[in-house]
Amino acid sequence: EGVEAPPAAAKTPTAPITIDLEELRALSARQLKTIIFTAGLSSKGLMEKSELVERAAEAKAVLDARPKFPDAELYKELDVVLFARETCPYCVYAKDGLQSRGLLPDGWDDEGLLDVERSREAAQEFQGLGGEGVPMFYSRKTGKTVSGWNQAAETVDWITDQLR
């Protein structure tokens, strides 16, 4: 006896994703395969560049549909505060990295960013947490801290993993 398949889930309408095929055609076969692999698709059996371009366009659609920074949600859940100094280059990198992920607004005035030079309260809290150097991340949820900034990291997972 056969089992009846459940009805397909209704899809919510989404804005069409535009893929620049000319941009893809300008890439090398290796670059196209990297895009395809990153999206979790296969390039096996694709011999012609036109086939790679077509599959890379599918891969770009898959990648563009993914949330940009899924790691940001856990960062928010952990209620993380960044202790920093406006004159510290690594603090500026950290602030900019967090802003690019939508975790901090522009500028230095935010409850998620405490400048230990400009605010006596921030400096006292920082010292009370055992802070010795900035940038330092502190989770109000777990009470854990992480110091430093990994400018090469593409996500903030390295922070959230240590703050859990």
Side-chain angles (χ1 to χ4, degrees):
E1 288 179 32
V3 178
E4 191 171 319
K11 292 186 177 182
T12 55
T14 58
I17 297 171
T18 57
I19 306 296
D20 185 354
L21 291 177
E22 289 305 313
E23 181 182 312
L24 290 175
R25 286 186 188 106
L27 298 177
S28 70
R30 183 182 191 137
Q31 291 170 314
L32 293 168
K33 287 180 180 182
T34 299
I35 293 169
I36 293 165
F37 177 76
T38 302
L41 301 178
S42 172
S43 62
K44 186 176 180 180
L46 303 178
M47 303 303 262
E48 301 292 324
K49 184 162 182 180
S50 61
E51 295 172 316
L52 289 171
V53 168
E54 188 177 312
R55 181 64 53 86
E58 293 172 30
K60 290 279 282 175
V62 168
L63 293 171
D64 289 347
R66 289 183 183 165
K68 265 192 156 179
F69 302 109
D71 57 311
E73 290 307 311
L74 181 56
Y75 185 94
K76 291 176 189 175
E77 287 174 28
L78 290 170
D79 194 14
V80 179
V81 175
L82 170 60
F83 289 92
R85 289 187 347 255
E86 195 170 350
T87 57
C88 161
Y90 293 102
C91 297
V92 173
Y93 296 144
K95 176 188 70 75
D96 291 347
L98 295 174
Q99 286 174 339
S100 72
R101 289 168 173 79
L103 295 169
L104 288 176
D106 289 338
W108 285 86
D109 299 316
D110 182 68
E111 63 186 43
L113 175 64
L114 302 176
D115 190 323
V116 298
E117 281 184 332
R118 294 185 352 184
S119 167
R120 182 184 309 261
E121 295 82 18
Q124 289 172 341
E125 185 178 356
F126 174 74
Q127 289 174 346
L129 294 168
E132 295 180 6
V134 290
M136 184 181 89
F137 299 87
Y138 168 68
S139 169
R140 290 182 174 141
K141 185 174 180 180
T142 65
K144 295 181 180 180
T145 63
V146 175
S147 292
W149 177 251
N150 182 349
Q151 194 171 352
E154 294 183 12
T155 68
V156 293
D157 289 338
W158 67 274
I159 297 170
T160 57
D161 288 347
Q162 295 179 64
L163 292 177
R164 288 184 193 187

